[in-house]
Amino acid sequence: MHTLVLLLCNLGVLVLSALFLRECFRENEQRATKVAAAILIFFVLLIPVILWSPSLRFIPDIVVGLLVCLALSLLIPARANREALAGTAGHLRGEVKRFDERDAVFARVRLSPDKEPYYSNYYAERPDQEEADAQRRAKGLLGKLGSIDNSYQPLKAMIHAAFDIPDILGRSAKSTPVEGEERKRMDPVQATELVKQFGLHIGADMVGICKVNPLWVYSHRGEIHYGNYNEWGEPLDDFPAYAVVLLTEMNWDHVSAAPHSPSVAESANDYAKGAYLSTVMGRWFAHMGYRGIAQNTRNYDTVLVPLAVDAGLGEVGRQGYLIAPRFGARVRVFATLTDMELVPDKPVSLGIDEFCQRCKKCSDTCPSRSIPAGEKTITNGIRRWKLDEDSCFEYWSKVGTDCSICMAVCPFSRPDTLSHKLVRTMLERSLVARRWFPAVDNLIYGKRWRPKQVPTWLKYPKAKESRKETY
């Protein structure tokens, strides 16, 4: 009986190890593949010990005993993270001043000296920023696009082609009730279910609903895309009460090439999707007799990550990205604001905050050292890890991409396979998993980031063929 129990336990671990090895190989994780292979070989070697070496059977006894203890320890439940379950309100520690969109780096780069009197008015109030902004403006936000890959034209063309779509759709970002359409009154529960299913149907990967907290609405308009400078500096006080938040998944094959051009090509692709999704949703509300204001790269009235948190779509990680179930940090966030009454979702606790406190992988591997390695600080009344945007964007201009290393290296970002699903489930529920899995992840996958090989159709010429990149 003893031998049978050991053999069954061993076979169970063998099957799991084989599945994990297969996943690691498919994900092109070289270190993890070696670790999984070593585990598999170890348990294969235990079979003859169990069957034919009674004198050595203490070895599988110890191994099985340790595995049982580990499994039981993972059953110790984690306490609910009250901060996470309160959404963005759980992270407030004082008065929050609404962010002025004019201060966003994108808006500052686009505000050139020939845009008068807006340029002079802005830097009269912020003279300390003018020189640094002028230098960044001269380089361009991404510098020479794709310079890390010799500006490989096929990938550059993908990036430009995708970013053309928000330019086209951005003029239709603000939809008002269509003339002649009667306002359709719907039960909020029915309307919410319809809106969510419609969002998924047209291509969103996740959809959530929240009430729009005024704290996450920009105080003043700053991004001007179509020459309408009469809106620059206008207060943003009239906004709908609800937000339909739409997430799109970024493809792992592209993201895993970070900081190379496939990652920014996928960013552009998702911004194109987001422009389509948020605009179609806005037009739907307009034909239902309501306002629908698309939130995408050509029209932002709000800071979107806080809306996504309040809509129950994830938590914010150390690197400042939304980390969503199934996709981790590999998501882009869009929204449509509306005055149709909907039922808000509840924020979620996924164990991400506790994991990030111990992980620090994004901080350790960030090439510009823009992600803090220490504890959270209180900035503008919000307790969070504060990214250094200036050094981050400086690196963007150096490599000619949007980097994405912190997105790719995040353990939550790995493909939604069986083993990663299991880990995410344990992190959501287990105290031990939250405390020890960051170290386990480093052991299996390593702590440093190395870009993965991309599919043949995405291959790009490397600037230094012999260099093995490690960040």
Side-chain angles (χ1 to χ4, degrees):
M1 185 64 179
H2 178 220
T3 301
L4 180 61
V5 170
L6 286 179
L7 189 61
L8 289 175
C9 290
N10 193 77
L11 289 174
V13 176
L14 268 176
V15 171
L16 293 176
S17 300
L19 290 173
F20 184 54
L21 175 61
R22 181 168 173 263
E23 289 181 3
C24 293
F25 182 77
R26 287 187 167 185
E27 293 168 24
N28 197 21
E29 293 283 0
Q30 296 180 11
R31 178 182 172 126
T33 299
K34 293 175 183 177
V35 172
I39 294 172
L40 184 66
I41 292 169
F42 175 78
F43 282 96
V44 167
L45 293 175
L46 281 185
I47 294 176
V49 174
I50 294 171
L51 292 176
W52 302 301
S53 302
S55 63
L56 296 176
R57 201 167 288 162
F58 71 92
I59 297 175
D61 282 339
I62 293 173
V63 171
V64 170
L66 289 173
L67 290 175
V68 169
C69 290
L70 174 61
L72 291 175
S73 71
L74 290 173
L75 297 177
I76 301 172
R79 291 182 180 179
N81 185 332
R82 294 182 180 179
E83 284 189 1
L85 292 176
T88 56
H91 302 278
L92 302 184
R93 296 293 185 273
E95 183 181 356
V96 177
K97 182 180 178 182
R98 286 167 59 187
F99 188 74
D100 189 332
E101 192 186 27
R102 291 174 295 181
D103 293 331
V105 65
F106 296 96
R108 300 194 327 253
V109 167
R110 293 189 178 104
L111 185 63
S112 61
D114 62 344
K115 304 298 183 184
E116 290 290 5
Y118 313 103
Y119 183 92
S120 296
N121 291 344
Y122 181 80
Y123 288 107
E125 296 181 7
R126 302 163 179 84
D128 56 314
Q129 294 182 350
E130 185 171 7
E131 183 178 352
D133 286 352
Q135 293 175 359
R136 184 173 290 113
R137 196 175 294 118
K139 295 178 183 177
L141 193 62
L142 293 181
K144 183 181 178 184
L145 185 60
S147 58
I148 191 173
D149 306 318
N150 296 320
S151 298
Y152 183 51
Q153 188 170 349
L155 285 170
K156 278 179 57 182
M158 289 181 203
I159 297 164
H160 286 305
F163 274 128
D164 284 345
I165 302 305
D167 273 336
I168 295 168
L169 294 176
R171 297 179 185 276
S172 301
K174 299 174 183 178
S175 296
T176 55
V178 174
E179 187 176 350
E181 294 279 15
E182 181 181 352
R183 174 169 284 198
K184 173 66 177 177
R185 306 283 181 181
M186 295 184 69
D187 173 71
V189 175
Q190 179 191 8
T192 300
E193 176 66 14
L194 191 157
V195 164
K196 285 187 174 182
Q197 292 302 320
F198 180 52
L200 294 172
H201 172 71
I202 60 177
D205 292 296
M206 293 182 71
V207 183
I209 310 291
C210 71
K211 279 200 164 185
V212 179
N213 186 332
L215 293 178
W216 316 131
V217 179
Y218 287 120
S219 62
H220 297 82
R221 173 76 64 207
E223 279 269 52
I224 302 299
H225 296 287
Y226 303 105
N228 49 325
Y229 269 90
N230 58 303
E231 296 182 13
W232 188 88
E234 284 287 309
L236 289 172
D237 295 323
D238 179 24
F239 49 88
Y242 295 90
V244 181
V245 186
L246 308 150
L247 298 192
T248 60
E249 177 193 8
M250 293 179 66
N251 181 275
W252 172 247
D253 285 342
H254 290 68
V255 172
S256 65
H260 292 276
S261 300
S263 61
V264 70
E266 181 64 0
S267 292
N269 181 47
D270 275 55
Y271 281 119
K273 288 181 185 176
Y276 167 78
L277 294 170
S278 56
T279 304
V280 170
M281 185 66 72
R283 294 307 304 161
W284 182 82
F285 282 119
H287 284 284
M288 292 291 289
Y290 297 84
R291 282 194 293 169
I293 304 177
Q295 303 293 291
N296 58 58
T297 188
R298 286 300 174 261
N299 182 72
Y300 288 125
D301 302 285
T302 57
V303 185
L304 288 179
V305 170
L307 294 187
V309 170
D310 287 339
L313 295 176
E315 295 183 53
V316 180
R318 180 180 289 272
Q319 78 283 68
Y321 281 124
L322 180 80
I323 298 181
R326 295 166 49 207
F327 311 125
R330 289 185 297 111
V331 291
R332 292 295 180 189
V333 186
F334 308 93
T336 303
L337 309 184
T338 184
D339 48 6
M340 176 185 278
E341 186 178 358
L342 301 169
V343 179
D345 289 295
K346 294 181 179 179
V348 295
S349 174
L350 305 173
I352 289 165
D353 195 80
E354 296 93 325
F355 186 93
C356 287
Q357 287 177 22
R358 293 172 172 82
C359 177
K360 302 183 182 180
K361 189 173 286 190
C362 61
S363 176
D364 291 339
T365 203
C366 175
S368 59
R369 298 293 179 262
S370 303
I371 302 170
E375 297 297 317
K376 292 181 178 180
T377 57
I378 298 174
T379 305
N380 187 29
I382 307 165
R383 183 173 174 269
R384 57 176 172 156
W385 288 294
K386 178 66 171 67
L387 179 78
D388 184 343
E389 294 95 342
D390 288 334
S391 61
C392 179
F393 288 121
E394 191 68 27
Y395 185 74
W396 284 25
S397 66
K398 179 180 177 181
V399 294
T401 73
D402 59 0
C403 182
S404 298
I405 288 176
C406 59
M407 176 188 292
V409 78
C410 178
F412 287 96
S413 292
R414 297 195 183 101
D416 194 33
T417 57
L418 178 63
S419 62
H420 300 314
K421 285 179 181 178
L422 181 61
V423 168
R424 289 171 187 143
T425 299
M426 287 189 286
L427 286 170
E428 187 175 345
R429 302 176 183 178
S430 169
L431 175 66
V432 172
R434 294 181 185 182
R435 290 186 175 179
W436 293 108
F437 277 22
V440 173
D441 190 87
N442 287 339
L443 177 66
I444 295 175
Y445 292 94
K447 202 166 187 178
R448 313 304 299 181
W449 172 250
R450 287 182 178 173
K452 306 290 188 295
Q453 288 188 0
V454 294
T456 303
W457 70 277
L458 278 176
K459 283 191 175 178
Y460 47 88
K462 293 184 179 179
K464 294 181 179 178
E465 201 66 41
S466 61
R467 187 164 68 104
K468 195 169 187 179
E469 292 177 273
T470 304
Y471 294 88

